[in-house]
């Protein structure tokens, strides 16, 4: 019997309407690790300050006031400001599964698969541009998934390509969408327009139940599709080693089966995200399920859940606090041909 290893992550719920002391304390906590990650290939490998600001001004100008405030809170340094632009950051890879459950009570459910030591674990409620947003923070002000007060919910998953190009890290694009959009069609237009540096799938649903998934790729306009589910490939599998290691095909097949089950309920669907093949315990390979989230657009509510643990937050009742979550991991099965694959090393992600 192989030895089971346990890892843990402290999830924290924090609230700050405008950038201030709360965000600054988080920056000071995470910045040493982010700095190592950002400069892992040397300072010259990252774009200079002026191209970063010009790219923000061109593609997401509504974020500039917040960007300037956060840059000042970070200390006003050159490297800090370049990092916060999230323009052409180092590459990184996630797992993730996401699905929209349409109907009278539309629902977006997702699993986020990633190494625990590289996740902030911060559920952040803000109103930086006057619109309230709740979501899982990444890269200090980007989002992995989230919802805004108008009932627009989004989630990202890696798109299954190794190609890296000129564009933004997608967490900042999700922040932009929730700060500036109210409906799925608006969100899709923004996602299709803003350039990204790697391939991602972003699933969107609004309060009316309208949904789409946008396939993003560097150097291309986003491909808007009427799809309710996404895992870690787009039209076809292109990175076969990653697909085998993350079971992207098997997970998508299960999601589609659930959409077709006439007796499926929202409760049963949420429970399925805590079971294989959607739930992953493969922390030894670098990508286990760190959290599951259920976003309810009609209710302005976000439920975060783990096996045996749940935590509900909403715009009407947001509770600051924390939850320590433990994860068990074991080595990959002997017949699983992953060749000892560590996705963090393969994408130079170890500094985060």
């Amino acid at each position: 019997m192989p030895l089971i290893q346990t890892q843990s992550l402290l999830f924290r719920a924090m609230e700050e309407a405008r950038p201030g002391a709360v965000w600054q304390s988080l920056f000071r906590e995470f910045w040493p690790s982010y700095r190592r990650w950002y400069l892992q290939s040397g300072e010259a490998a990252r774009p200079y300050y002026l191209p970063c600001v010009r790219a923000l001004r061109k593609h997401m100008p509504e974020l500039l006031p917040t960007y300037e405030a956060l840059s000042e809170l970070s200390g006003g340094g050159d490297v800090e400001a370049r990092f916060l632009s999230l323009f052409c950051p180092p590459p990184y890879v996630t797992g993730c599964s996401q699905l929209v459950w349409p109907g009278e009570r539309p629902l977006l459910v997702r699993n986020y698969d990633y190494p625990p030591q590289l996740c902030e674990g911060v559920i952040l409620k803000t109103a930086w541009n006057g619109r309230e947003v709740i979501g899982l923070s990444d890269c200090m002000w980007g989002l992995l998934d989230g919802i805004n007060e108008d009932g627009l919910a989004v989630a990202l998953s890696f798109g299954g390509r190794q190609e890296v190009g000129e564009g933004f890290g997608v967490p900042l694009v999700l922040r932009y969408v929730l700060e500036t959009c109210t409906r799925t069609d608006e969100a899709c237009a923004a996602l299709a327009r803003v350039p990204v540096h790697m391939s991602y799938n972003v699933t969107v649903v609004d309060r009316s139940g309208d949904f789409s998934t946008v396939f993003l790729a560097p150097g291309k306009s986003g491909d808007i599709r009427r799809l309710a589910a996404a895992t870690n490939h787009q039209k076809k599998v292109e990175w076969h080693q990653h697909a085998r290691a993350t079971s992207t095909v098997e997970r998508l097949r299960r999601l589609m089966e659930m959409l077709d089950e006439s007796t499926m309920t929202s409760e049963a669907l949420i429970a399925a995200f805590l079971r294989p093949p959607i739930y992953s315990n493969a922390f030894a390979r670098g990508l286990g399920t760190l959290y599951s989230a259920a976003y309810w657009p009609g209710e302005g509510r976000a439920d975060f859940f783990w096996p045996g643990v749940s935590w509900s937050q909403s715009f009407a009742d947001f509770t600051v606090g924390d939850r320590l979550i433990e994860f068990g991991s074991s080595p990959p099965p002997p017949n699983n041909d992953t060749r000892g694959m560590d996705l963090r090393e393969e994408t130079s992600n170890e500094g985060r």
Side-chain angles (χ1 to χ4, degrees):
M1 176 70 70
L3 179 66
I4 301 297
Q5 299 177 339
T6 300
Q7 303 180 60
S8 64
L9 176 61
L10 182 67
F11 283 84
R12 292 173 284 177
M14 308 181 79
E15 180 178 4
E16 188 171 54
R18 297 289 187 269
V22 170
W23 185 90
Q24 188 176 52
S25 69
L26 289 171
F27 182 85
R28 289 171 176 167
E29 176 183 346
F30 293 128
W31 176 236
S33 295
Y34 273 123
R35 191 179 194 280
R36 287 194 299 271
W37 169 69
Y38 188 69
L39 299 179
Q40 62 189 260
S41 299
E43 191 170 333
R46 307 274 66 83
Y48 293 114
Y49 171 74
L50 283 178
C52 292
V53 175
R54 287 169 181 158
L56 267 177
R57 184 177 293 117
K58 178 179 179 180
H59 298 289
M60 297 183 285
E62 297 92 335
L63 293 186
L64 275 173
T66 300
Y67 168 75
E68 291 168 353
L70 296 179
S71 295
E72 183 176 350
L73 287 169
S74 74
D78 175 71
V79 174
E80 290 87 339
R82 291 157 66 188
F83 161 76
L84 287 170
S85 76
L86 273 187
F87 185 60
C88 298
Y92 47 84
V93 172
T94 64
C96 310
S97 306
Q98 53 212 34
L99 179 147
V100 170
W101 184 249
E104 293 184 2
R105 296 178 66 209
L107 169 67
L108 172 60
V109 189
R110 69 96 98 257
N111 278 6
Y112 182 68
D113 300 350
Y114 207 56
Q117 65 271 26
L118 304 180
C119 179
E120 293 178 17
V122 175
I123 302 166
L124 193 59
K125 181 186 176 189
T126 60
W128 288 343
N129 286 291
R131 177 177 281 121
E132 288 190 315
V133 173
I134 295 173
L136 260 293
S137 175
D138 189 57
C139 294
M140 297 309 310
W141 68 308
L143 294 169
L144 302 170
D145 45 75
I147 187 171
N148 68 21
E149 64 178 271
D150 297 298
L152 182 70
V154 296
L156 66 84
S157 63
F158 175 61
R161 291 194 186 97
Q162 293 174 278
E163 176 189 7
V164 180
E166 184 175 288
F168 293 93
V170 75
L172 186 58
V173 183
L174 263 63
R175 164 67 70 180
Y176 177 66
V177 164
L178 291 182
E179 296 283 358
T180 62
C181 301
T182 62
R183 303 189 313 270
T184 292
D185 59 344
E186 295 174 339
C188 289
L191 289 163
R193 175 180 58 79
V194 178
V196 294
H197 85 309
M198 293 189 75
S199 295
Y200 284 91
N201 310 323
V202 179
T203 301
V204 186
V205 64
D206 62 22
R207 186 170 288 166
S208 74
D210 186 25
F211 65 87
S212 290
T213 294
V214 185
F215 292 155
L216 307 178
K220 302 176 182 178
S221 297
D223 182 4
I224 303 170
R225 303 228 162 190
R226 179 75 174 177
L227 296 174
T231 51
N232 300 125
H233 59 285
Q234 296 184 340
K235 300 174 187 177
K236 62 180 181 179
V237 170
E238 298 185 40
W239 186 1
H240 293 277
Q241 187 182 12
H242 179 272
R244 288 195 301 270
T246 62
S247 302
T248 179
V249 173
E250 294 81 359
R251 286 183 287 120
L252 183 61
R253 182 183 302 124
R254 179 58 186 139
L255 295 178
M256 299 308 294
E257 288 172 353
M258 290 193 294
L259 284 172
D260 289 338
E261 292 179 15
S262 59
T263 59
M264 180 65 66
T265 64
S266 58
E267 292 79 8
L269 185 146
I270 289 171
F273 273 71
L274 295 177
R275 297 192 300 267
I278 304 173
Y279 184 87
S280 171
N281 203 32
F283 293 97
R285 292 201 299 268
L287 288 179
T289 299
L290 298 188
Y291 67 88
S292 306
Y295 290 100
W296 302 86
E299 302 169 27
R301 195 175 91 229
D303 296 332
F304 304 96
F305 52 98
W306 304 263
V309 180
S310 63
W311 196 7
S312 184
Q313 299 282 8
S314 70
F315 294 106
D317 185 14
F318 188 88
T319 305
V320 172
D322 57 57
R323 300 285 191 280
L324 180 64
I325 304 299
E326 293 190 348
F327 311 98
S329 64
S330 58
N335 294 328
N336 189 356
D337 183 24
T338 63
R339 297 177 178 85
M341 178 180 182
D342 188 322
L343 299 177
R344 292 165 291 158
E345 293 179 359
E346 186 144 333
T347 56
S348 300
N349 197 28
E350 59 273 17
R352 289 194 53 195

